[in-house]
Amino acid sequence: MSDARPVLRATFDAVADRYDPSDVDYFRPVGRRVVELAEIRAGDAVLDVGCGRGAALFPAAAAAGGEGRVVGIDLSEAMVAATAAEARALGLSGVEVLRMDGQDPDFPAGSFDAVIGSMSVHMLPDTGAAFARFRELLRPGGRLCVSAPTTVLTPRPLVFGLASIAKWVQEYEAGTRVYPQSSAFGGEERVLADLRTAGFRAAAVRDEVLHLTASSGRALVDWTWTHGMRLFWERVPADRRADVAADIDAEAETHRDPDTGLVTIPTMVSYVMAR
């Protein structure tokens, strides 16, 4: 299993100040859905692994309420600093954001009622071992819910619902597993086996359609520079980037909704749940 953590840490440090701008909606609805599926309740203690800029962290804090405790961890120092500052600005005294490796979070056993991770855990070098560690951190009856991008392979490859991104990623991406070209977590059979081995029960994988929305095709292209897909762009030769961007922009614009005026692209997201 390749360990992409050093390059991922550097990448997310570089994008932390402009991560996931508001004119594209994708990570935030996925984070909210993770919190829903994890059944976060008032008073819960929650660990958010790979919290980024808080797409799941802040909804978890809202669900856990003033009596709850929500801890976000991330490898990126810049992400942690920005998200911690936002939590302070929002007056969320029950939220803590720490720089920590999601592969082996350093907390006592039985610290949490729920462990969540939105678009993050699939990038760990050994997800089976990570699930075992998450199991140790959970109290009896504790819940796990993590999400991952789903790369559609048939009838044709799609990434973020677009064939153009899939085509160019296949040509230039070198396997960091940010947007996997095969099933995240090794596929449904593998992840369910890993969860059982880790001591979980009631494990399930749920693929759902999410409608990614953007103000324009160009806004979507710009958005891809603000998160893990920046790794892809750094591999595209500088003299090809304009052509690649134009190709993605043109396909995205074919999804413009005449009623809302927004580019609206159906995408698949995988949610992994267990108790």
Side-chain angles (χ1 to χ4, degrees):
M1 288 169 287
S2 63
D3 189 342
R5 285 176 291 182
V7 69
L8 290 170
R9 181 168 58 245
T11 298
F12 286 105
D13 278 345
V15 302
D17 63 340
R18 58 194 183 101
Y19 182 80
D20 192 26
S22 60
D23 55 355
V24 176
D25 217 13
Y26 177 78
F27 292 111
R28 288 177 292 270
V30 174
R32 292 193 295 269
R33 185 62 173 146
V34 165
V35 170
E36 291 174 359
L37 292 173
E39 300 175 2
I40 306 301
R41 301 184 288 260
D44 275 350
V46 183
L47 175 65
D48 182 6
V49 178
C51 65
R53 289 301 310 273
L57 183 78
F58 294 125
E67 299 301 313
R69 174 188 178 223
V70 180
V71 181
I73 62 172
D74 203 284
L75 268 181
S76 165
E77 291 181 9
M79 285 285 199
V80 167
T83 305
E86 186 173 353
R88 289 192 297 271
L90 292 170
L92 299 176
S93 59
V95 172
E96 187 175 10
V97 190
L98 304 171
R99 186 183 181 279
M100 191 179 294
D101 190 346
Q103 181 66 51
D104 187 17
D106 186 17
F107 299 99
S111 292
F112 299 100
D113 299 295
V115 173
I116 61 176
S118 191
M119 299 293 174
S120 57
V121 172
H122 69 286
M123 291 184 276
L124 296 175
D126 188 342
T127 55
F131 289 143
R133 180 65 182 132
F134 300 163
R135 169 64 183 82
E136 293 172 354
L137 296 177
L138 284 168
R139 298 166 181 164
R143 291 93 63 203
L144 172 75
C145 183
V146 300
S147 64
T150 300
T151 299
V152 175
L153 299 177
T154 56
R156 60 175 180 160
L158 302 174
V159 173
F160 290 129
L162 297 179
S164 54
I165 295 182
K167 174 184 67 177
W168 292 113
V169 165
Q170 185 176 20
E171 181 165 347
Y172 290 114
E173 211 272 342
T176 61
R177 294 187 296 155
V178 176
Y179 301 106
Q181 297 304 292
S182 58
S183 298
F185 306 110
E188 182 172 345
E189 184 175 340
R190 169 70 180 276
V191 71
L192 293 177
D194 283 347
L195 289 167
R196 287 192 295 268
T197 299
F200 284 98
R201 61 181 178 83
V205 177
R206 181 170 180 161
D207 289 343
E208 295 184 355
V209 175
L210 170 76
H211 286 87
L212 180 158
T213 62
S215 58
S216 67
R218 185 68 231 185
L220 186 143
V221 171
D222 292 344
W223 171 77
T224 62
W225 277 92
T226 73
H227 52 77
M229 199 172 157
R230 179 188 177 101
L231 284 165
F232 154 75
W233 285 111
E234 291 174 346
R235 294 189 174 98
V236 178
D239 62 353
R240 296 297 316 279
R241 288 175 184 167
D243 290 339
V244 173
D247 190 31
I248 296 170
D249 181 355
E251 185 185 4
E253 284 293 340
T254 67
H255 291 271
R256 188 173 288 279
D257 185 323
D259 295 326
T260 66
L262 296 174
V263 170
T264 303
I265 305 170
T267 68
M268 293 297 296
V269 178
S270 185
Y271 299 89
V272 176
M273 301 161 287
R275 290 183 178 272

